[in-house]
Amino acid sequence: MTVEKIMPNRLDRGFFMYQEEFERKALEVLRSGWYVLGNEVSQFEKEFASYVGSKHCVGLASGLDALWIAFRVLGIGKGDEVIVQGNTYIASVMGITINGATPVFVEPDEYFNMDASKIEEKITSRTKAVLVVHLYGQASNMGPITDLCRRHGLRLVEDCAQSHGAKFGGKTTGTFGDIGCFSFYPSKNLGAFGDAGAITTDSDELAEKVRVFRNYGSEKRYHNKIVGANSRLDEMQAGLLRVRLSHLDELAAEKARICARYLRELHNDKIHLPEIRDGATHIWHQFVIRCKERDALIKYLDEKGIGTIIHYPIPPHLSEAYSYLGMKEGSLPITERYAGEVLSIPLYNGMTEEEQSRVIGAINEF
């Protein structure tokens, strides 16, 4: 009898858990006859702002749109520098460079997030903002980062694509800076059924700028204030996100139980387990281990019918897209070491205890 392969992530299980609610909402949206910027979007924006603890939420078409529109409405562009961690997904950096600004990379700490102690040395007269990425679902070290931004008069943008509901010092990610940028890509803890994103902010002015910008730069139809974009969260995705948001705490609790078991039962000297910072919470978008013999581990697990993913094998500064920055291998040693060692093991809502046991047993035997 062939044993079913364990995927690194499965989205169908999360759907089946609330299938009736999702299908009922989809039909409700289809039957409403209103498909763009209607009641579902405005209700989701209110509910998500309340969940995060921000004054405003503005729904957008994707997480990348949230990032580049954030810097656009903050007026950051050509000649400006934005400090960002080196070990992030390339979309974080694209949010900066789409606007013509220059990314300045900082090494990560042992928690995979930006090392707050290494930011100050990167500040120049051209530095306009810091982009913090709450990677893999753990809140970054926001105390010293917010202090530093205040001291130097820098804008603070948060990339919360992987950290819906994570907290630092009891405060939710997406509420520390000028703007929080969220992705609702299907694999996220708060995942849509296609592309979707949002911006959170406490600023009335910035929220209004984003609302105008996302809709062709118009406040009122055919009255275009600026050259904007078409980046609207659509009604179907907003409606389905409302269903998932109503269950987000229980979904997060389930993932936390799986990861607690991983932390308790994984024992292998070749494997470095993820650590959680004091004062921070982790929503476990991914469970990321480090292993110096990663390629051998991937091959071994694959032979055992266990899938894995590398998040992310090529750091942005070494990607072809950013070769113009002129950064060579060795310029960010910690970032590059992580890129050669990190591995995301299977983690998803609806993961069975038997699947967890197979993953734990296989890794321990490696």
Side-chain angles (χ1 to χ4, degrees):
M1 187 181 87
T2 56
V3 182
E4 188 182 14
K5 181 164 181 168
I6 300 173
M7 308 299 288
N9 194 6
R10 287 193 63 160
L11 303 182
D12 55 342
R13 302 262 181 96
F15 164 69
F16 290 128
M17 286 163 84
Y18 310 107
Q19 180 176 353
E20 280 181 31
E21 287 177 70
F22 284 126
E23 290 177 355
R24 192 161 60 242
K25 177 57 77 175
L27 281 171
E28 191 185 314
V29 175
L30 289 170
R31 288 167 177 163
S32 74
W34 194 297
Y35 307 123
V36 176
L37 292 184
N39 183 58
E40 295 297 339
V41 170
S42 58
Q43 288 303 116
F44 172 73
E45 288 173 338
K46 279 188 199 130
E47 290 159 9
F48 190 64
S50 171
Y51 183 85
V52 170
S54 69
K55 192 172 177 186
H56 301 282
C57 166
V58 184
L60 299 168
S62 71
L64 175 57
D65 280 4
L67 286 159
W68 75 261
I69 291 171
F71 289 107
R72 183 69 55 91
V73 299
L74 288 170
I76 293 168
K78 201 167 169 52
D80 297 332
E81 292 175 353
V82 177
I83 294 171
V84 62
Q85 69 203 61
N87 66 318
T88 184
Y89 183 51
I90 201 164
S92 308
V93 186
M94 287 178 176
I96 298 164
T97 60
I98 284 170
N99 290 291
T102 303
V104 174
F105 295 103
V106 167
E107 291 273 49
D109 57 24
E110 64 269 38
Y111 306 98
F112 298 121
N113 283 327
M114 182 184 273
D115 189 333
S117 69
K118 292 178 179 167
I119 300 171
E120 199 145 25
E121 66 199 45
K122 300 283 188 175
I123 295 172
T124 71
S125 59
R126 293 186 297 279
T127 309
K128 292 294 187 292
V130 174
L131 174 60
V132 173
V133 186
H134 306 288
L135 202 65
Y136 307 141
Q138 179 166 198
S140 299
N141 189 15
M142 295 310 293
I145 295 173
T146 48
D147 289 348
L148 176 137
C149 288
R150 210 172 291 122
R151 258 194 351 264
H152 290 274
L154 301 175
R155 296 292 208 167
L156 175 56
V157 178
E158 296 174 75
D159 183 340
C160 311
Q162 303 181 1
S163 69
H164 316 79
K167 291 179 168 64
F168 179 83
K171 192 171 154 67
T172 311
T173 59
T175 65
F176 288 90
D178 295 277
I179 291 178
C181 302
F182 288 85
S183 166
F184 305 121
Y185 188 73
S187 62
K188 308 299 190 209
N189 283 29
L190 180 57
F193 290 77
D195 281 307
I199 271 174
T200 55
T201 183
D202 284 340
S203 162
D204 298 346
E205 183 196 358
L206 289 174
E208 188 51 33
K209 279 185 173 179
V210 177
R211 282 192 197 101
V212 167
F213 195 89
R214 73 174 172 185
N215 196 27
Y216 299 103
S218 69
E219 215 167 8
K220 202 167 107 190
R221 201 170 188 186
Y222 304 129
H223 293 256
N224 299 76
K225 285 180 152 184
I226 53 164
V227 177
N230 173 10
S231 179
R232 299 171 302 220
L233 175 62
D234 76 66
E235 283 287 285
M236 182 64 79
Q237 298 303 344
L240 297 171
L241 280 167
R242 289 181 69 200
V243 174
R244 183 113 51 197
L245 181 59
S246 72
H247 297 290
L248 189 54
D249 287 343
E250 66 208 62
L251 287 165
E254 183 195 15
K255 273 191 159 185
R257 283 194 298 275
I258 297 167
C259 294
R261 188 177 175 204
Y262 278 163
L263 290 170
R264 208 168 48 241
E265 296 182 27
L266 284 170
H267 301 289
N268 186 323
D269 291 343
K270 294 178 189 288
I271 305 298
H272 188 285
L273 297 174
E275 297 172 42
I276 304 173
R277 180 191 299 283
D278 284 346
T281 65
H282 202 317
I283 61 148
W284 302 108
H285 169 59
Q286 304 290 347
F287 190 95
V288 180
I289 61 174
R290 282 171 36 219
C291 179
K292 286 191 168 72
E293 298 166 42
R294 182 180 67 190
D295 291 350
L297 176 60
I298 292 170
K299 186 169 180 290
Y300 165 84
L301 291 174
D302 188 57
E303 285 165 1
K304 298 265 183 188
I306 297 166
T308 54
I309 303 179
I310 302 169
H311 293 104
Y312 303 95
I314 302 168
H317 73 284
L318 296 181
S319 69
E320 195 180 335
Y322 290 116
S323 56
Y324 70 86
L325 294 172
M327 295 182 76
K328 299 284 180 271
E329 210 167 311
S331 55
L332 292 172
I334 300 169
T335 293
E336 291 164 29
R337 188 176 88 238
Y338 284 0
E341 295 179 359
V342 293
L343 189 65
S344 301
I345 66 173
L347 174 64
Y348 44 86
N349 289 112
M351 189 178 189
T352 66
E353 288 197 8
E354 189 268 333
E355 287 169 333
Q356 295 162 40
S357 298
R358 271 177 63 196
V359 172
I360 291 162
I363 292 174
N364 286 344
E365 285 163 18
F366 174 66

